[in-house]
Amino acid sequence: MQIPSKITRLQLTNPFKIARRATDAYREVISVEIDGGIGETAPARFYGETVQTVEEALKIVGPVIAADLDAIQDVMAEVETVLGGNYAAKSAIDMALHDRLGKKLGVPLYRLWGLNPMKTPQTSFTIGLDEPKVMAEKARRAEAYSILKVKLGTPSDLEIISALRGVTDKPIYVDANTAWSPKEAVRKIRELAQYGVELIEQPTPPSDLQGLKFVRAHSELPIIADESVKRAADIPALAECVDGINIKLVKCGGLLEALRMMHVARAHGLLVMIGCMIESSLGITAAAHLTPLVDYADLDGNLLIANDPYVGVTVEEGKLVLPSRPGIGVMKRENAGDSPPRYGT
């Protein structure tokens, strides 16, 4: 089969920066369609993927998909043997297959998995790196969101948190995006804890598991792995190094693998966060259907863009509210330029 695809440029409401990457003004995502089911992926260069690599992967894998499309496990096993890597491409295919099956059965994804939509958590809202006073202003404007996720990884880290605490007493999650050395992380975490920070995400480089273990042993705050964990097979080696993992559909290869990761993480006594890239409401809503199973949700990628092509999951008083429509449950926005205004970005 051929898998039709479309590249969309998502315009950020404000430039966005993290510790390891320069400021972005837009992000590209690629969407696919499989027999009425739709999926999306936001490939990351950090993992060696772009919309162009996804397009090439789709050309390779389309002709070899022969399994019954209802049997998603079988289809994705075929895809796995052909693609190997290319997890962003796998994620788009997996998402489209789930959307197709939910629509065929007339149920939203959370019903497909037997989950309670009332048990979705609150989502954090990300404050990208900038000057401390600018980040504080973004935090002040993010009044609709009850938890803030703050990007750090600069010499001004403590100044940034101090500035934010001057305008808000909301819970704060800190994401260093691999920027600290283990000893630097321990020192900074000790100081950040005094500002009421609740957890630390990926403080050290991805491959330095001993560094993560050292940080965890000397941290009073939970340590959550992100860049260090891609798939379920990565979790056992991390179990003694961190307190939890951050799952993203784009880096793990889709909803099936995300579910596997949740079960493996729980078997190792780990906390579970589900996160995102900057994506449209299509990708964010698909991930949101899994949130009744997690401890933390960081699904705000669609809140950071000005031209969201879809309407799906919403946020009410900080809490994720799932759509009840079949499949992923998104609808095309009549005019993507009319996305509701977002604040704090």
Side-chain angles (χ1 to χ4, degrees):
M1 74 166 61
Q2 288 188 332
I3 302 177
S5 63
K6 177 184 177 182
I7 297 173
T8 301
R9 178 175 286 194
L10 301 178
Q11 189 68 42
L12 277 65
T13 53
N14 282 287
F16 188 81
K17 182 180 179 182
I18 64 175
R20 66 165 186 267
R21 188 178 62 236
T23 301
D24 292 337
Y26 67 89
R27 294 287 179 85
E28 287 186 328
V29 298
I30 182 167
S31 57
V32 304
E33 189 273 329
I34 300 177
D35 191 28
I38 55 175
E40 177 186 270
T41 190
R45 290 185 181 275
F46 182 79
Y47 298 111
E49 298 189 73
T50 65
V51 291
Q52 288 74 32
T53 65
V54 172
E55 284 186 313
E56 290 303 312
L58 294 174
K59 292 176 185 177
I60 293 170
V61 78
V64 305
I65 294 179
D68 175 3
L69 293 181
D70 290 356
I72 299 176
Q73 297 268 4
D74 291 350
V75 177
M76 293 310 298
E78 286 184 351
V79 172
E80 184 73 25
T81 60
V82 175
L83 290 186
N86 295 287
Y87 296 118
K90 293 176 189 174
S91 177
I93 295 168
D94 170 285
M95 194 182 298
L97 292 171
H98 278 89
D99 184 54
R100 172 193 172 276
L101 185 58
K103 288 173 177 174
K104 180 177 179 179
L105 298 177
V107 296
L109 293 191
Y110 63 79
R111 289 293 181 216
L112 201 63
W113 299 319
L115 302 180
N116 183 350
M118 302 305 295
K119 292 189 176 180
T120 57
Q122 294 181 324
T123 182
S124 54
F125 182 84
T126 303
I127 308 295
L129 273 177
D130 213 315
E131 295 298 320
K133 64 180 181 180
V134 176
M135 293 178 70
E137 176 59 18
K138 291 177 180 180
R140 188 191 64 78
R141 292 167 55 199
E143 57 188 23
Y145 309 102
S146 52
I147 303 169
L148 300 179
K149 180 175 178 178
V150 179
K151 297 290 189 177
L152 295 183
T154 76
S156 303
D157 286 343
L158 296 178
E159 184 183 350
I160 289 169
I161 293 297
S162 177
L164 263 65
R165 278 292 178 236
V167 300
T168 181
D169 60 357
K170 293 177 181 177
I172 288 178
Y173 304 161
V174 159
D175 186 0
N177 285 115
T178 77
W180 300 333
S181 70
K183 289 184 178 179
E184 179 185 14
V186 169
R187 174 176 58 80
K188 287 193 172 181
I189 290 169
R190 187 177 299 118
E191 295 169 316
L192 290 170
Q194 299 176 21
Y195 287 94
V197 170
E198 297 200 354
L199 63 82
I200 305 294
E201 189 176 335
Q202 196 65 48
T204 56
S207 60
D208 186 7
L209 300 193
Q210 288 305 307
L212 272 177
K213 189 173 183 179
F214 174 82
V215 174
R216 184 196 187 197
H218 294 86
S219 172
E220 60 188 273
L221 301 179
I223 304 298
I224 308 296
D226 180 3
E227 287 88 344
S228 292
V229 57
K230 298 177 184 176
R231 313 197 79 202
D234 300 327
I235 296 173
L238 277 165
E240 295 184 356
C241 304
V242 296
D243 298 286
I245 62 166
N246 186 353
I247 298 169
K248 294 176 181 174
L249 301 184
V250 170
K251 68 174 178 175
C252 78
L255 295 158
L256 279 182
E257 184 64 18
L259 281 165
R260 291 189 194 103
M261 292 181 74
M262 290 178 182
H263 295 317
V264 174
R266 295 306 191 193
H268 285 85
L270 295 176
L271 298 165
V272 174
M273 172 187 285
I274 190 160
C276 63
M277 307 299 186
I278 292 178
E279 308 170 40
S280 82
S281 284
L282 175 54
I284 297 298
T285 305
H289 281 277
L290 290 170
T291 58
L293 294 172
V294 307
D295 302 291
Y296 310 108
D298 179 38
L299 295 178
D300 64 341
N302 59 329
L303 305 177
L304 306 177
I305 59 176
N307 60 333
D308 192 344
Y310 297 96
V311 177
V313 65
T314 58
V315 179
E316 297 181 9
E317 296 183 353
K319 179 180 171 64
L320 294 163
V321 179
L322 298 174
S324 59
R325 294 179 291 271
I328 294 172
V330 299
M331 301 186 301
K332 279 272 192 162
R333 193 183 299 277
E334 290 187 8
N335 186 343
D338 291 338
S339 297
R342 308 298 187 187
Y343 299 97
T345 57

